[in-house]
Amino acid sequence: MDTEAPVKRLPARAAWEETGTALVPGVLEPDRFKALAEEAHGRLELVEPHIHEHTAAHRDGSFASPVHCGFIPPGPVLEALAYDKVLLMALRRTTGIPRLIPRGGAVVLYREGDFQGLHTDSVKSTVTVAVALTEHLPPMGWAPDLLGAFPDRLGEVVIEHGVFPAGEGFTTLTHPYGDGSVRAFAGYHVPHWRRPLTVPMGLLATMSFMDL
């Protein structure tokens, strides 16, 4: 009788280091998600513009290219989630990184036409966590083949492919919306970007976790 070959399952840390991303289910209850979205919509007037036109390597090893969006400081609901022990324990299990500590969060506001060019997050973002707070938020660009690439290499990518690269080696990551899960990804180690938004508005809650 034919049997299927067993599925190879990598330990959490090995899987994380190979892919740089994971969906973490069951950590955002419906009422909490609703409160998070309502809080973000109620704080739009607090948005701080995040706009620059340069491409640069930062002293912490992160990389930036042109960006046009806004950041909303965290309210009490997002602040509580960013430091939530249940979420932290789930992230440690999922990534296999036992010394993760929370570094806080913010909401990214995109208006139609807003974008973020290819970049990596601060060194404080060993793990970046994101969840869409508006429906139909398009996926972000994602370059897993460039995991751990030095800023000089990322500068070459921008020269060769632009700040929104496409084609072989470049893919996308979606963000969950209202299903109880969050998207975790290696924000400092894997380059990512967001093409100009084609819907009126998008809100993305983000949280950073650092490996001690």
Side-chain angles (χ1 to χ4, degrees):
M1 181 175 64
D2 293 337
T3 59
E4 293 185 4
V7 176
K8 182 181 178 182
R9 296 190 181 277
L10 295 173
R13 185 63 178 262
W16 175 258
E17 291 181 349
E18 181 175 293
T19 64
T21 186
L23 277 175
V24 186
V27 292
L28 192 55
E29 304 90 344
D31 288 348
R32 199 172 201 182
F33 171 78
K34 181 180 178 182
L36 189 63
E38 289 177 348
E39 178 179 82
H41 281 87
R43 294 169 63 84
L44 295 178
E45 74 280 359
L46 300 178
V47 64
E48 301 169 357
H50 182 52
I51 302 169
H52 64 72
E53 303 298 332
H54 64 273
T55 297
H58 296 151
R59 292 181 65 184
D60 68 355
S62 61
F63 180 84
S65 67
V67 58
H68 193 294
C69 62
F71 283 89
I72 301 172
V77 179
L78 178 54
E79 193 78 11
L81 178 62
Y83 289 91
D84 184 88
K85 289 185 179 179
V86 173
L87 174 59
L88 178 61
M89 293 300 105
L91 290 171
R92 288 176 174 176
R93 288 193 303 271
T94 300
T95 64
I97 305 174
R99 299 186 303 171
L100 278 181
I101 60 168
R103 300 291 301 183
V107 174
V108 188
L109 168 64
Y110 297 96
R111 302 286 190 184
E112 188 170 4
D114 281 354
F115 63 89
Q116 287 203 53
L118 183 142
H119 67 283
T120 56
D121 296 339
S122 160
V123 69
K124 297 177 182 179
S125 293
T126 306
V127 176
T128 302
V129 171
V131 57
L133 301 180
T134 50
E135 287 190 272
H136 312 304
L137 182 68
M140 71 179 188
W142 179 248
D145 289 355
L146 294 174
L147 187 153
F150 290 111
D152 286 352
R153 172 61 184 133
L154 300 184
E156 293 172 358
V157 170
V158 169
I159 292 171
E160 295 170 7
H161 301 279
V163 297
F164 311 120
E168 186 176 355
F170 305 113
T171 184
T172 59
L173 277 186
T174 58
H175 305 295
Y177 175 80
D179 66 358
S181 66
V182 300
R183 166 70 68 185
F185 60 94
Y188 176 72
H189 290 102
V190 182
H192 48 285
W193 59 96
R194 188 174 302 281
R195 291 180 172 276
L197 194 70
T198 57
V199 296
M201 186 181 74
L203 290 169
L204 183 73
T206 65
M207 293 159 278
S208 297
F209 297 81
M210 186 178 183
D211 182 10
L212 287 179

